Amino acid sequence: SAVISQKPSRDICQRGTSLTIQCQVDSQVTMMFWYRQQPGQSLTLIATANQGSEATYESGFVIDKFPISRPNLTFSTLTVSNMSPEDSSIYLCSVRAWGGDDEQYFGPGTRLTVT
Amino acid sequence: GQQVMQIPQYQHVQEGEDFTTYCNSSTTLSNIQWYKQRPGGHPVFLIQLVKSGEVKKQKRLTFQFGEAKKNSSLHITATQTTDVGTYFCAGSILIAGNQFYFGTGTSLTVIP
């Protein structure tokens, strides 16, 4: 298993600003992902964070809006840039550990409100 | 993109009744996973199914993967209040890089 922490746990931000969310894992993992979840809704995959190279973004998400870093096997950041109220959501970091059954472990999430 | 639908969207059951949620994909899946998310919590992995027609059991939970690998189901026998939460299936297709795409979810309420 993997224990994941995210910072901040929540934030209220003004329109037009940017927020960087950090994801720290207690062990080295193969893959790291970023998801977005509106309250009461499903999870939408934003991108796969690749170590040492550019992230792989899903349709509808672009690097300029959601730049992602992954400098090593245990840490990643997601930045939400030039925020608008539509970006208000819960952002979840998820990882896949070495070996195992491809199960994904999720962080506690970052609740973002944009005013 | 890949679409994974679940029905029903909501289900209220009396404690002790059974519950089933169904997951349907528009494309053939490599694997399917099931997660449970308690209110206010994050998704927690339950199980993964890989083979066509596979059935797995975890105590009162039975998971099934369809023969065509396009659908799956989760059945809970004799629900308890601890079963409350939203159940998500998540499917992967190899050509997409083995990322998992989450279904729409079924929210289960258990009435004591």
Side-chain angles (χ1 to χ4, degrees):
Chain A
S1 66
V3 177
I4 305 165
S5 59
Q6 281 185 237
K7 289 184 187 178
S9 58
R10 58 178 64 223
D11 207 341
I12 301 172
C13 301
Q14 288 196 335
R15 180 196 299 261
T17 62
S18 297
L19 175 73
T20 295
I21 302 167
Q22 297 180 3
C23 175
Q24 178 72 56
V25 194
D26 68 341
S27 58
Q28 292 185 347
V29 293
T30 58
M31 302 183 80
M32 297 182 78
F33 308 95
W34 287 97
Y35 287 85
R36 183 168 73 181
Q37 185 178 31
Q38 303 278 1
Q41 302 295 315
S42 183
L43 289 83
T44 301
L45 180 62
I46 298 171
T48 302
N50 301 309
Q51 193 218 344
S53 64
E54 196 171 284
T56 305
Y57 290 85
E58 296 298 313
S59 175
F61 297 96
V62 295
I63 187 171
D64 290 346
K65 175 67 177 177
F66 297 100
I68 287 170
S69 79
R70 188 182 173 190
N72 56 53
L73 292 174
T74 63
F75 184 78
S76 178
T77 65
L78 167 73
T79 299
V80 187
S81 303
N82 188 24
M83 287 183 285
S84 66
E86 292 70 37
D87 295 320
S88 297
S89 189
I90 298 170
Y91 291 85
L92 292 143
C93 172
S94 176
V95 305
R96 197 174 295 167
W98 293 100
D101 238 3
D102 287 336
E103 63 262 41
Q104 290 185 208
Y105 301 95
F106 284 82
T110 296
R111 183 179 292 270
L112 171 62
T113 303
V114 184
T115 60
Chain B
Q2 184 177 354
Q3 292 196 352
V4 184
M5 306 298 293
Q6 281 181 253
I7 54 170
Q9 188 176 359
Y10 303 97
Q11 185 79 60
H12 292 70
V13 299
Q14 206 73 36
E15 187 173 18
E17 291 181 340
D18 292 356
F19 160 76
T20 304
T21 172
Y22 299 91
C23 176
N24 296 288
S25 169
S26 56
T27 56
T28 302
L29 301 170
S30 299
N31 307 327
I32 196 154
Q33 297 178 342
W34 284 91
Y35 291 80
K36 176 183 178 181
Q37 185 175 25
R38 292 182 185 273
H42 57 270
V44 174
F45 175 81
L46 295 177
I47 208 157
Q48 174 168 275
L49 303 170
V50 177
K51 299 176 187 173
S52 169
E54 188 170 12
V55 177
K56 286 189 176 180
K57 293 190 175 186
Q58 285 180 351
K59 297 183 180 177
R60 293 178 296 104
L61 278 61
T62 301
F63 305 85
Q64 197 161 7
F65 202 4
E67 294 289 342
K69 299 184 79 173
K70 292 181 110 175
N71 55 69
S72 180
S73 64
L74 158 59
H75 179 82
I76 302 179
T77 304
T79 55
Q80 301 174 358
T81 54
T82 52
D83 295 326
V84 165
T86 300
Y87 292 85
F88 292 101
C89 64
S92 75
I93 52 175
L94 274 178
I95 59 173
N98 207 30
Q99 293 93 335
F100 282 84
Y101 298 90
F102 278 70
T104 47
T106 297
S107 175
L108 173 64
T109 301
V110 180
I111 304 161

